[in-house]
Amino acid sequence: SKQLSTHALHMIQKNTTLQEIQNEVKDLSKKVNTNEKPRYKRISHQINQSLRADSDWDVFRLYFEDVNKNFFNYLKNINPDLTTNDLRLCALVKLNMNSKEMASVLNIAPNSIKSARYRLKKKLNLDIEADLEEFIRRIE
């Protein structure tokens, strides 16, 4: 459980730092001459690849499944069509992360979390009024 929390925190910190660097690179690329723009674009692309890397998620999933044995199986039984991102969102909700932390880990805008949660409720056959956090926390 401690390793899971530590790894999740590491993912948040890493992604936040990479997002800040990427914003700086974008700002700098606007100020350089045309010849230099491809270099900045390559750097930005490399940062994007690192943000989307699944290796962090593979380790996270191992720790998470060790602590929450049948969590993903239970969710898949409710809806076998849940995507990897749906399962990731469920895991982050289970860890009591707030929307800003989830957005950082998933590398999406914070306002996209609201939409993702809404779609997830529909996929889990929950009422719009239902409390997603409460539902997910009850899963053993």
Side-chain angles (χ1 to χ4, degrees), residues 119-133:
R119 286 190 304 273
L120 182 59
K121 279 184 182 182
K122 288 175 83 171
K123 289 180 178 182
L124 294 173
N125 302 316
L126 298 175
D127 291 338
I128 302 304
E129 312 301 318
D131 186 350
L132 181 64
E133 286 87 357

Side-chain angles (χ1 to χ4, degrees), residues 60-72:
F60 174 84
R61 188 174 180 133
L62 286 173
Y63 291 142
F64 188 86
E65 287 178 329
D66 192 41
V67 175
N68 304 281
K69 300 270 186 243
N70 294 311
F71 183 79
F72 294 122

Side-chain angles (χ1 to χ4, degrees), residues 6 13 17 21 25-26 29 34 37-38 51 70 73 93 99 115 119 129 136-138 140:
T6 302
Q13 290 171 334
T17 302
I21 293 169
V25 168
K26 284 180 183 176
S29 72
T34 314
K37 288 194 188 281
L51 284 167
N70 294 311
N73 290 336
V93 169
S99 294
S115 301
R119 286 190 304 273
E129 312 301 318
I136 289 177
R137 279 190 215 114
R138 281 197 239 135
E140 292 293 323

